Amino acid sequence: MTEIKHVGVVGAGQMGRGITEVCARAGLHVTLCDVTEDRARAGLAGVADSLLKAEKRGAVTSEDRAHALAGISVTGDLSRLGGADLVIEAAVEDEQAKTALFRQLGDIVTDPAAVLASNTSSIPIARLAAAAGRPETVIGLHFFNPVPVLPLVEIVPSLHTSKSTELRVRAFAEDVLGKRTIVAQDRAGFVVNSLLIPYLLAAVRMVASGTATAEDIDTGMTAGCAHPMGPLRLADLIGLDTVAAIGEALYEEYREPLYAPPPLLRRMVESGLLGRKSGQGFFDYQPA
């Protein structure tokens, strides 16, 4: 099995930064790519800040932090990923955007042993694999936010993913990155989001109907069910636009009403109230 030494990450947002960090901390060379080099550099600054916080917590040494940062390069040119052993797409949760990326990556990454993976939360891998034109080496590799903290990765092979690709990626996630893995069928939502998103949307419907306040709903689940975070703060952390997008993908796949984003969530997204990343969602995150 060919060793994975060079990882390309497409998308320098929250998830891309987290994936870049865990790969760099594992001693891999990482090329972080976004639509412009400035955006990629902003992503690198986020990684540097996260590593500094990890050092202050005692999770990494100063030497480990410096070594991880030295292993990251940034670019706004997708063709720079042509020599990567593994490319992980972590772009916006939009099927058209991801499909276009995989079409480009299929042309750029020519090594038949290289793997193309998507961090999608809900989009079927088969559609991305078809766009890439090399479906046997395309797989879902779904990390959870915050990536450096949460141990789980969902491995999602499509019907065309080769067994060797699945085993190689699973070994990479477990043995190199130190993650725990589960394998899910290639259906929208996979395992975790198929269970999580209806729960989050139910909490949104409770707010919309006036059943309880957002604060009381979250307190009910943290104090009454021992959840580490309430559903509405969790939705804010994920990003309300992402929650809505995953709900849409699940509803398209299954046509079950519990997956449909409620009107309140749609209006909040349309109004730019996206949660933590915008400073306001169901809770206020603006500095005091």
Side-chain angles (χ1 to χ4, degrees):
M1 211 180 299
T2 308
E3 188 177 357
I4 293 173
K5 296 180 179 179
H6 179 193
V7 177
V9 178
V10 183
Q14 191 172 43
M15 294 303 295
R17 293 195 302 267
I19 294 167
T20 297
E21 179 179 338
V22 297
C23 289
R25 283 171 65 170
L28 302 165
H29 170 52
V30 186
T31 302
L32 176 60
C33 180
D34 210 309
V35 291
T36 67
E37 187 170 324
D38 284 346
R39 286 180 63 166
R41 289 196 180 281
L44 178 58
V47 174
D49 182 60
S50 177
L51 284 167
L52 184 59
K53 290 176 181 176
E55 182 185 342
K56 290 177 179 177
R57 293 195 309 270
V60 299
T61 66
S62 60
E63 292 80 8
D64 289 339
R65 177 172 66 86
H67 187 262
L69 286 172
I72 304 170
S73 59
V74 298
T75 184
D77 181 1
L78 203 63
S79 67
R80 289 272 305 277
L81 305 183
D85 304 307
L86 167 66
V87 177
I88 304 172
E89 171 274 315
V92 63
E93 191 68 4
D94 176 87
E95 185 172 334
Q96 283 190 324
K98 288 183 186 292
T99 300
L101 269 173
F102 271 83
R103 190 173 293 114
Q104 290 178 274
L105 289 170
D107 293 332
I108 290 167
V109 183
T110 56
D111 182 352
V115 175
L116 304 180
S118 177
N119 185 59
T120 179
S121 304
S122 59
I123 297 167
I125 302 302
R127 297 177 190 172
L128 305 179
R134 42 182 296 177
E136 69 283 352
T137 59
V138 177
I139 196 166
L141 192 58
H142 182 216
F143 294 80
F144 290 82
N145 185 38
V147 179
V149 176
L150 293 184
L152 185 68
V153 175
E154 286 181 314
I155 307 294
V156 189
S158 79
L159 294 174
H160 290 291
T161 304
S162 70
K163 195 63 180 179
S164 61
T165 296
E166 179 185 337
L167 293 173
R168 186 180 180 205
V169 167
R170 190 168 191 177
F172 169 77
E174 293 178 349
D175 300 337
V176 178
L177 302 185
K179 297 293 189 180
R180 295 181 64 181
T181 65
I182 59 175
V183 177
Q185 289 188 358
D186 186 19
R187 298 179 181 180
F190 315 135
V191 172
V192 174
N193 280 318
S194 290
L195 294 168
L196 176 63
I197 295 301
Y199 163 63
L200 301 184
L201 297 181
V204 175
R205 292 187 187 98
M206 290 185 79
V207 173
S209 67
T211 301
T213 65
E215 188 68 51
D216 283 350
I217 291 167
D218 274 20
T219 299
M221 297 310 294
T222 55
C225 295
H227 287 201
M229 182 182 292
L232 297 165
R233 285 194 186 277
L234 179 54
D236 278 353
L237 176 62
I238 295 168
L240 300 186
D241 53 340
T242 301
V243 172
I246 299 170
E248 291 281 9
L250 288 164
Y251 183 70
E252 180 186 345
E253 180 97 325
Y254 301 109
R255 295 297 174 182
E256 294 281 355
L258 77 166
Y259 293 126
L264 173 60
L265 182 60
R266 296 177 188 274
R267 296 298 90 77
M268 291 178 74
V269 171
E270 291 164 357
S271 301
L273 303 175
L274 307 180
R276 283 184 179 271
K277 60 186 171 185
S278 70
Q280 180 70 50
F282 287 99
F283 298 93
D284 186 359
Y285 303 95
Q286 301 286 352

